[in-house]
Amino acid sequence: MGLRWIKGRRWLLILVLAICAAGGLVARALAAGGNASGGKVTTASLGTFRTDVIARLHAERLNYHWVVCVRTPHQFRGVGVVRCNVDFGIDPHVEAYCSVLRGGRLLTSEQDSEIPCGHDNAGFSDPVVTFR
């Protein structure tokens, strides 16, 4: 039966493989729509990002002194990236959380390393005056 049966039923094998492939695509689309890893990438007001970052810090039981969010020149999938600087108060220790919203939920550069979070001089700056 073996090889001759498979040759005679080649159309059945192709059909089964096509059904499995289609099922995999449908499962992937459903999984992406039901969590923060799927959905449209958007941005929001700086206040929204600050509120979302603070909620994340509270959920992770992290202590912080202040949170300041600024727009950056960086883009992620065509959307502006917001950087929230969080002062954890140790030496002082400021961490940057570069973020967008995906499916309406906060997505940070810690969760998706493709979100650019390099130095960009965005935010407050003082002129530097030197004396001779």
Side-chain angles (χ1 to χ4, degrees), residues 72-131:
T72 73
H74 301 299
Q75 297 274 314
F76 175 72
R77 300 197 179 160
V79 172
V81 175
V82 171
R83 185 184 69 235
C84 292
N85 296 321
V86 180
D87 179 9
F88 288 100
I90 306 168
D91 297 320
H93 180 73
V94 177
E95 285 286 325
Y97 290 81
C98 294
S99 309
V100 293
L101 299 178
R102 178 179 282 163
R105 301 186 70 193
L106 183 70
L107 179 68
T108 68
S109 53
E110 288 184 344
Q111 297 166 300
D112 189 335
S113 61
E114 291 183 24
I115 298 174
C117 198
H119 181 74
D120 55 32
N121 290 328
F124 182 78
S125 64
D126 270 335
V128 177
V129 179
T130 57
F131 297 97

